[in-house]
Amino acid sequence: MDDLRKVKFTLEQINGTIGDYESAGENAENVMKERTGVFYCWGNEPIFDSVTGTYHDRTIGVVEEYSTGKVYHVIPKFMTFLETLEQCK
């Protein structure tokens, strides 16, 4: 885990639920709290566009939270790298 980049992130809120599908019952304060973890990789997930009736890919970061070990799909705008690529070498 030493070679993974450290990040801080918050969870997204979509239609009253959050990006972490297991935790739909968490309150808004807990959902929007700043978390720290490590970044694993970029990925894509399909998103349904109800206007056009089609699916589109959305980029997500796969991040593990330090304190819980939970893995989240995080939209890039909700994630900040704490180290530059040069600092990781």
Side-chain angles (χ1 to χ4, degrees):
M1 258 225 269
D2 291 337
D3 58 340
L4 299 175
R5 291 177 72 186
K6 295 173 182 67
V7 294
K8 63 180 177 180
F9 65 100
T10 58
L11 301 178
E12 173 194 18
Q13 245 179 324
I14 305 174
N15 299 330
T17 63
I18 61 172
D20 172 24
Y21 304 118
E22 294 179 351
S23 303
E26 289 182 344
N27 62 32
E29 182 179 310
N30 193 30
V31 170
M32 297 311 295
K33 77 176 182 179
E34 190 168 89
R35 302 162 190 259
T36 56
V38 290
F39 171 80
Y40 282 92
C41 64
W42 295 110
N44 291 316
E45 64 182 10
I47 299 297
F48 183 71
D49 183 338
S50 60
V51 174
T52 64
T54 60
Y55 283 91
H56 303 279
D57 280 342
R58 174 171 68 177
T59 300
I60 51 97
V62 179
V63 177
E64 178 183 352
E65 184 178 17
Y66 277 137
S67 63
T68 64
K70 282 186 168 185
V71 175
Y72 295 96
H73 290 178
V74 181
I75 294 178
K77 70 180 180 180
F78 295 112
M79 185 172 71
T80 303
F81 288 100
L82 300 177
E83 303 168 314
T84 65
L85 285 172
E86 289 300 316
Q87 291 170 320
C88 293
K89 293 182 180 180

